[in-house]
């Protein structure tokens, strides 16, 4: 029976369903699937050919949502999981949203406040103009991602404030709570950065400090943030704190882009550290890219990283790296790529047990766990990336 009351009820139900669908339309699902065949000339003394996930871009799936609360106020959230496309496993066992997980409020007039697991202002503003953003971190990040300008640093238990963009100026600050039983200062972090864009140039300056928890053997997993550990800095993983300062700049001329960046990283010793003197790593880098055709994108970069004389080391370590990328877009979402890098290491550094050892090569941040057995390493990867 099709009575007026039934028709009215059906209309009300359909209206509610439509409203619910509209509300859900503010949630976006996105992601990347990236896999490559990789060749490394020396991993622990042997050349290796293998499959690797997340080379041009990290393989991930994310959920991003925005709700208009009215009166220039919006609620937002982001959940992002990293996974291995070659095996299907999570990038971090036991942590579902290992890349990012935060919620916040945003106003065009007053800026945004977000809380959760997030990237640092140091990375978002300074790293966005650095080599890994152009060349990919796998082979283009500075050796071992020594200065955290790729995505190796994420801060849990953090609160971030970002000011609204004003005449090309952006600024942001973040504090990560240590949440340790003996005080929040243990394992806490702080980051701040500014970026200024005035076409065709962009400039950024940033600061990051990570504090260790009460751990004499290495970096405490309960600290709010950690960093990439490789053969380059593993002797300093027991630092009481690590300080990062970096600056980057870019200039775009039509299809050409040229850029420069510099960083200073200090590993500061504490009473429980396996070393006694502050260890300093300075890096200078150059990058360039060229959009040859709408499909072909080419990029190159060079970096020079050198350590200070400290902890009984007379012949300080030095790492020089040359990286290239050739990217062919099959569509707006799919690309075939070829990336290559060569790194040379010289001098001495501290090994994992605190003893003085010869420096070995570790290209980008893809070889952090598989360094060369000597001072040279070449890495070549050919792969396919699809974004959705």
């Amino acid at each position: 029976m099709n009575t007026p009351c039934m028709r009215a009820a059906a209309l009300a139900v359909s209206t509610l369903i439509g409203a619910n669908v509209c509300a859900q339309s503010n949630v976006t699902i996105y992601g990347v699937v990236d896999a490559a065949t990789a060749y490394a000339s020396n991993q622990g003394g042997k050349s290796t050919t293998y499959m690797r996930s997340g080379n041009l871009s990290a393989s991930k799936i994310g959920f991003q949502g925005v709700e208009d609360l009215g009166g220039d106020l919006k609620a937002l959230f982001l959940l992002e999981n990293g996974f291995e496309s070659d095996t299907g496993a999570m990038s971090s066992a036991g942590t579902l949203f290992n890349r990012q997980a935060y919620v916040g409020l945003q106003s065009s007039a007053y800026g945004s406040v977000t809380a959760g697991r997030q990237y640092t202002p140091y990375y978002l503003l300074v790293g966005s103009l650095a080599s890994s953003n152009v060349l990919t971190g796998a082979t283009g990040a500075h050796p071992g991602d020594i200065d955290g300008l790729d995505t190796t640093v994420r801060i849990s238990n953090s609160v971030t404030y970002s000011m609204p963009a004003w005449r090309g100026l952006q600024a942001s600050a973040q504090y990560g709570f240590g949440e340790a039983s003996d005080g929040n200062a243990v394992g806490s972090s702080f980051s701040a950065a500014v970026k200024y864009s005035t076409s065709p140039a962009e400039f950024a300056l940033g600061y990051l400090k990570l504090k260790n928890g009460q751990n004499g053997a290495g970096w405490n997993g309960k600290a709010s943030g950690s960093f990439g550990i490789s053969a380059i800095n593993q002797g300093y993983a027991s630092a009481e704190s690590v300080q990062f300062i970096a600056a980057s700049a870019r200039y775009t001329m039509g299809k050409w882009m040229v850029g420069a960046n510099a960083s200073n990283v200090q590993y500061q010793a504490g009473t429980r550290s396996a070393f006694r003197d502050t260890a300093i790593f300075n890096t200078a880098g150059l990058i360039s890219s060229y959009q040859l055709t709408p499909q072909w994108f080419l990029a190159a970069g060079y970096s020079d990283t050198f350590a200070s004389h400290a902890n009984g080391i007379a012949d300080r370590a030095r790492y020089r790296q040359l990286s290239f990328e050739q990217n062919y877009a099959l569509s707006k979402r799919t690309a075939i790529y070829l990336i290559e890098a060569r790194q040379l290491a010289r001098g001495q550094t501290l090994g994992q047990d605190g003893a003085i050892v010869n420096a070995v090569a570790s290209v980008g941040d893809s070889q952090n766990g598989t360094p060369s057995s000597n001072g040279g390493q070449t890495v070549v990867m050919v792969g396919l990336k699809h974004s959705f």
Side-chain angles (χ1 to χ4, degrees):
M1 182 180 298
N2 189 8
T3 67
C5 290
M6 292 178 65
R7 288 196 296 271
L11 178 61
V13 171
S14 64
T15 302
L16 289 172
I17 293 174
N20 187 48
V21 170
C22 290
Q24 291 179 352
S25 68
N26 290 326
V27 177
T28 301
I29 301 175
Y30 67 92
V32 173
V33 184
D34 181 315
T37 298
Y39 166 80
S41 64
N42 188 322
Q43 288 185 339
K46 298 180 180 180
S47 63
T48 309
T49 301
Y50 59 105
M51 180 169 282
R52 188 176 187 276
S53 171
N55 306 287
L56 190 64
S57 298
S59 295
K60 55 183 172 285
I61 183 168
F63 306 86
Q64 187 172 28
V66 177
E67 181 188 10
D68 191 343
L69 301 176
D72 187 37
L73 188 64
K74 296 179 180 179
L76 57 90
F77 78 88
L78 189 146
L79 301 170
E80 191 174 274
N81 164 263
F83 63 90
E84 304 298 329
S85 61
D86 53 338
T87 64
M90 290 192 295
S91 297
S92 300
T95 305
L96 178 59
F97 297 111
N98 56 307
R99 294 182 62 84
Q100 299 183 82
Y102 63 78
V103 65
L105 296 173
Q106 183 180 53
S107 162
S108 59
Y110 299 104
S112 66
V113 176
T114 53
R117 179 171 173 82
Q118 310 170 74
Y119 290 119
T120 64
Y122 172 87
Y123 162 72
L124 292 173
L125 299 186
V126 185
S128 65
L129 303 182
S131 58
S132 60
N133 187 262
V134 177
L135 282 161
T136 174
T139 53
H142 295 155
D145 194 25
I146 187 69
D147 46 17
L149 290 176
D150 194 24
T151 58
T152 55
V153 180
R154 301 178 181 90
I155 308 298
S156 298
N157 312 313
S158 64
V159 176
T160 303
Y161 169 73
S162 300
M163 65 166 277
W166 180 74
R167 296 185 178 181
L169 180 67
Q170 296 174 262
S172 183
Q174 177 189 81
Y175 183 78
F177 295 89
E179 297 195 352
S181 59
D182 46 358
N184 282 330
V186 177
S188 65
S189 67
F190 175 76
S191 177
V194 294
K195 181 179 178 181
Y196 179 65
S197 301
T198 173
S199 182
E202 296 177 278
F203 309 90
L205 175 66
Y207 173 85
L208 168 64
K209 187 161 188 175
L210 305 175
K211 292 185 178 181
N212 201 351
Q214 294 297 325
N215 189 347
W219 195 260
N220 193 329
K222 294 183 179 180
S224 63
S226 60
F227 53 94
I229 296 177
S230 67
I232 296 165
N233 64 353
Q234 64 184 2
Y236 306 104
S238 60
E240 183 176 70
S241 64
V242 187
Q243 175 180 282
F244 304 77
I245 300 174
S248 56
R250 283 192 195 176
Y251 189 87
T252 303
M253 305 164 289
K255 296 181 178 181
W256 280 102
M257 184 280 294
V258 293
N261 45 77
S263 64
N264 172 276
V265 182
Q266 298 186 23
Y267 296 86
Q268 296 159 344
T271 56
R272 303 187 183 188
S273 299
F275 61 101
R276 65 179 185 276
D277 304 323
T278 297
I280 301 173
F281 288 81
N282 291 302
T283 300
L286 297 172
I287 54 173
S288 182
S289 68
Y290 182 64
Q291 191 72 51
L292 181 63
T293 69
Q295 292 78 35
W296 278 107
F297 174 80
L298 309 175
Y302 172 78
S303 66
D304 194 344
T305 300
F306 49 95
S308 60
H309 291 102
N311 299 292
I313 296 173
D315 183 14
R316 61 181 182 172
R318 183 180 182 183
Y319 308 86
R320 287 171 288 180
Q321 182 174 286
L322 185 62
S323 307
F324 298 97
E325 176 190 335
Q326 303 87 49
N327 187 329
Y328 184 78
L330 298 172
S331 69
K332 290 184 178 180
R333 298 190 299 169
T334 304
I336 298 173
Y337 61 87
L338 181 66
I339 51 179
E340 315 96 348
R342 173 68 177 173
Q343 186 185 125
L344 296 176
R346 298 290 184 268
Q348 296 177 318
T349 186
L350 292 189
Q352 190 170 8
D353 58 359
I356 297 175
V357 297
N358 291 330
V360 297
S362 182
V363 164
D365 57 21
S366 64
Q367 306 301 310
N368 281 10
T370 53
S372 173
S373 63
N374 57 35
Q377 188 178 58
T378 300
V379 176
V380 179
M381 300 181 183
V382 56
L384 177 66
K385 182 192 85 167
H386 177 75
S387 303
F388 60 90

